[in-house]
Amino acid sequence: MSQADQQAQDDERAVYIISVAAELAGVHPQTLRIYERKGLVRPQRTPGNTRRYSDADIERLRAIQLLTDQGVNLAGVKRIMEMRVKMDELHGEVERLRRQLDHRRAIAMPGRRGGEILPLRSVVRFPWDLTS
């Protein structure tokens, strides 16, 4: 497992009870319950139905708090958070497509490096060109 994968897994591990999560996020526990009802955060639950928050949840709560401190209402916060998720997905897709394109370019033009532009004559040999 890579270090990035391990970090992501650690960020998703739900370890904080509601009072600790509220303190870390700088809000009242009742605020966390409201955020959950509004669909802004989804803490994991223990078998006894106790809420457990992860480091990723705490970061999300801090982002929500920052937006509400700037005057954004909860409906607006929810929309912004949804757009952030979509934007992250799109960035990942762009990166995947960029890697795929680079790979295909490397196969199609093995002598080409990076983004350099090559003269057409160095890539294509015309039958009427007797210079080579």
Side-chain angles (χ1 to χ4, degrees), residues 78-95:
K78 185 173 183 178
R79 184 70 181 127
I80 290 168
M81 300 305 278
E82 289 168 352
M83 289 169 50
R84 284 182 177 176
V85 168
K86 185 64 174 173
M87 189 174 69
D88 288 344
E89 290 170 357
L90 291 172
H91 280 295
E93 180 70 6
V94 166
E95 189 55 38

Side-chain angles (χ1 to χ4, degrees), residues 4 49 94 100 129:
N49 208 29
V94 166
Q100 186 180 35
D129 187 2

